[in-house]
Amino acid sequence: MSNLVPVTVAYGDGIGPEIMEASLHIIKEAGARIQTEVIEIGEKVYLRGNTAGIEPSAWESLRRTKVFYKAPITTPQGGGFKSLNVTTRKMLGLYANVRPCVSYHPFVKTKHPNMNLVIVRENEEDCYAGMEYQLSDTVMECLKIITRPGSERIMRYAFEYALQHNRKKVTCFMKDNIMKMTDGLFHKIFDEIGAEYPTIEKEHWIVDIGAAKMADTPEAFDVIVMPNLYGDILSDVAAQIAGSVGLAGSANIGSQCAMFEAIHGSAPRRANQNLANPTGLLLGGVLMLVHLNQPDIAERVHNAWMCTMEDGIHTYDIYKEGTSKQKVGTKEFAQAVVARLGKTPHTLKAAHYSAAPQRTRQEAKRPAVKVALEGVDVYVAWPSLDTDKLAAAARKAIGDGLELIMIDNRGVKVWPEGMPETLCTDAYRCRFASKNGTSSKQVVALLNRVLDQGIEIVKTENLRTFDGQPGYTLAQGQ
Ligand code: NAD
């Protein structure tokens, strides 16, 4: 039986085919125990009228091999084409995005010569769940979803990654001073899971000041775990300040499948000229080799690449008169790396990878929580913007112990005793609650009475408590 691991490969668009050929050449010459099977994705597939950019037969290969090595693709301009990256991430359940951001000073110019951090970004939740609504003529809403299971597995991944890669510290970025429930949960689970890793230092930063610190002193960080949106933004910042977005690779990891790629795009203007730097995709390949439990090969490739950097053999994008010695094309760069397989760098810190630890973990069962209903938030469209009139109408709907507690606009209380300075839009929220609790039937009856008052209901959110703790926040000023 062959000991080669099957890997699905897509050559992509623009510079994709050239950098994929170069990267695979290096990886195979290094002795990677992989067997590639090629699928077609991207521009050609989109232009054939497939709005997803990927054929059903390609999914068959991906589901079978469970490992995807992907070159960048071009998404055609114009509406109707879905992002292939988002589709792949969602279809394959790739919940963790891992992006090492390392500076290769003095061979690649950077203001941060000692930077060596890894961003672990939650990839499926947060504002990226794609749950958006128009509440009224003038108000849009995006739901930010943070879940316990989603946060648990990203935290677990971040700490396991730190252990495997001999990293000393995991930092959590979030903003739970404002988003007390969503980012609060993310933070809480960081603390809970972190407690299972006593040898790893833990710290947390509010994302704004944490981002400022990372941009200023990135060497202060090791592994940083973040929810989706902050991670999306800050992983590009981190890659850029390490020297160049062109050098970074990334891994998208799921419980079954994984995808490895460069973080840059298909650079169509550079295509077919033997110019592009294959490094981002090659280092994505290094992450893949570690994932495939071939750390020896990952090490050979990464070290040979560093030797090439040290010898000043550079593609046009990082070539600098003085530091660089030879400007080369994609193919020649790959040949230079192959020629250095087996060597270790002198100035740069040599790469060292180890096999993934095999752990089986029994998740603790959580005790059942007691849920109680206290009331309901009724979101309404009220084009006249006359708050007092809305309050008068809403108060006519009260009953069964359900009182009108307050009305807010964009989260700021406007009734009772609103401030004239508050900007009001045509979307309001009326909070009804009962001191003694209520029932779903009583809420439905209330909603009917609200409708009878000529109030247009847009949506509702139940006000519930979980083991006596409110499952909702107060409005500002409430
Ligand atoms: P890009 O990353 O392709 O290019 C940005 C700049 O960096 C260009 O000047 C380009 O020449 C340079 N560059 C990028 N990679 C390089 C490399 N390996 N070697 C040398 N120079 C390199 O970004 P863009 O121009 O905004 O996007 C081009 C296309 O790529 C778009 O269709 C976009 O949708 C797509 N894209 C795809 C992915 C992906 O598949 N993962 C990611 C981002 C963008």
Side-chain angles (χ1 to χ4, degrees):
M1 210 175 84
S2 157
N3 67 345
L4 301 181
V5 184
V7 170
T8 302
V9 167
Y11 281 78
D13 302 313
I15 57 170
E18 294 163 79
I19 59 173
M20 181 54 88
E21 208 168 293
S23 300
L24 281 177
H25 175 55
I26 297 166
I27 288 171
K28 287 186 172 168
E29 287 292 324
R33 299 175 285 277
I34 61 170
Q35 171 122 52
T36 54
E37 51 183 72
V38 177
I39 59 167
E40 194 186 24
I41 56 164
E43 200 173 20
K44 283 199 210 89
V45 183
Y46 281 119
L47 296 178
R48 282 207 293 267
N50 181 322
T51 55
I54 178 164
E55 302 283 7
S57 58
W59 288 118
E60 188 280 317
S61 169
L62 287 169
R63 290 220 172 80
R64 185 164 32 77
T65 67
K66 304 189 182 341
V67 185
F68 189 14
Y69 192 29
K70 174 181 160 295
I73 58 148
T74 304
T75 311
Q77 296 284 313
F81 300 113
K82 291 196 208 105
S83 157
L84 186 69
N85 272 355
V86 176
T87 308
T88 320
R89 237 177 256 161
K90 290 200 166 163
M91 294 285 284
L92 300 181
L94 308 179
Y95 67 86
N97 179 253
V98 186
R99 188 179 290 187
C101 298
V102 183
S103 68
Y104 294 101
H105 175 83
F107 307 102
V108 179
K109 201 165 168 254
T110 170
K111 292 183 187 127
H112 306 286
N114 299 317
M115 175 173 182
N116 182 354
L117 63 83
V118 180
I119 292 182
V120 175
R121 161 189 168 197
E122 197 291 319
N123 229 356
E124 292 184 309
E125 303 192 341
D126 199 353
C127 301
Y128 289 59
M131 295 159 77
E132 292 190 296
Y133 296 96
Q134 177 157 3
L135 294 187
S136 65
D137 184 27
T138 63
V139 179
M140 305 294 177
E141 176 189 59
C142 171
L143 296 186
K144 173 172 165 122
I145 307 292
I146 301 282
T147 70
R148 173 171 274 278
S151 303
E152 278 177 353
R153 67 178 180 178
I154 195 70
M155 295 309 173
R156 175 96 48 222
Y157 186 85
F159 281 102
E160 288 291 326
Y161 181 96
L163 272 191
Q164 188 191 351
H165 293 83
N166 202 21
R167 300 251 171 193
K168 306 289 177 231
K169 182 169 76 172
V170 179
T171 305
C172 177
F173 276 11
M174 36 69 222
K175 196 154 177 78
D176 60 348
N177 54 337
I178 302 295
M179 283 158 281
K180 296 185 164 59
M181 298 189 66
T182 47
D183 281 23
L185 179 64
F186 197 76
H187 185 171
K188 183 169 184 245
I189 292 171
F190 173 75
D191 289 342
E192 278 178 24
I193 303 283
E196 297 175 28
Y197 297 85
T199 57
I200 294 176
E201 190 189 335
K202 276 116 353 212
E203 65 172 12
H204 49 82
W205 288 76
I206 299 293
V207 62
D208 39 30
I209 189 64
K213 174 85 175 169
M214 186 194 81
D216 183 64
T217 323
E219 59 277 13
F221 296 102
D222 200 346
V223 175
I224 315 180
V225 62
M226 311 188 201
N228 210 340
L229 177 61
Y230 315 143
D232 190 2
I233 298 165
L234 294 179
S235 56
D236 270 12
V237 173
Q240 180 67 44
I241 65 172
S244 163
V245 273
L247 296 184
S250 94
N252 289 277
I253 307 283
S255 51
Q256 309 280 319
C257 303
M259 171 171 89
F260 302 87
E261 60 183 346
I263 69 169
H264 61 72
S266 58
R269 285 191 309 120
R270 306 289 180 190
N272 304 316
Q273 297 158 62
N274 191 35
L275 276 177
N277 186 348
T279 296
L281 190 59
L282 181 68
L283 296 183
V286 167
L287 297 173
M288 175 175 76
L289 291 165
V290 177
H291 175 83
L292 295 176
N293 249 339
Q294 301 186 18
D296 49 335
I297 314 295
E299 221 166 274
R300 265 166 79 74
V301 171
H302 203 167
N303 284 332
W305 176 82
M306 283 197 259
C307 292
T308 313
M309 288 287 107
E310 287 188 344
D311 290 345
I313 300 173
H314 296 166
T315 43
Y316 83 93
D317 54 315
I318 53 167
Y319 183 87
K320 284 254 156 16
E321 211 68 60
T323 331
S324 307
K325 295 217 170 62
Q326 201 186 338
K327 194 191 278 185
V328 291
T330 316
K331 279 194 183 123
E332 295 72 29
F333 184 82
Q335 281 158 7
V337 178
V338 168
R340 286 162 181 77
L341 287 168
K343 297 199 167 142
T344 44
H346 297 294
T347 310
L348 297 170
K349 189 168 174 278
H352 176 69
Y353 296 105
S354 50
Q358 297 298 319
R359 279 171 219 280
T360 47
R361 196 175 295 276
Q362 206 70 44
E363 290 297 338
K365 261 219 149 64
R366 287 169 45 74
V369 281
K370 191 166 178 297
V371 183
L373 186 61
E374 289 193 327
V376 64
D377 276 347
V378 184
Y379 290 70
V380 306
W382 193 252
S384 77
L385 309 191
D386 185 333
T387 306
D388 289 334
K389 243 189 177 157
L390 173 61
R395 289 190 74 189
K396 286 191 189 144
I398 63 179
D400 287 335
L402 283 159
E403 300 287 344
L404 180 65
I405 306 294
M406 62 110 202
I407 300 175
D408 72 51
N409 199 295
R410 301 184 304 144
V412 181
K413 190 187 80 175
V414 293
W415 182 94
E417 291 152 23
M419 306 280 277
E421 291 82 6
T422 305
L423 169 71
C424 273
T425 69
D426 54 354
Y428 287 80
R429 179 174 64 159
C430 302
R431 175 162 288 182
F432 296 92
S434 166
K435 280 194 189 75
N436 304 318
T438 186
S439 68
S440 298
K441 282 200 166 153
Q442 286 174 329
V443 165
V444 171
L446 169 78
L447 297 179
N448 276 312
R449 294 195 297 274
V450 170
L451 288 175
D452 289 344
Q453 293 303 317
I455 299 172
E456 185 192 349
I457 299 177
V458 176
K459 66 167 206 164
T460 64
E461 295 271 4
N462 283 342
L463 301 175
R464 293 180 298 163
T465 57
F466 293 78
D467 284 339
Q469 295 300 314
Y472 55 91
T473 50
L474 298 182
Q476 263 154 34
Q478 192 189 346

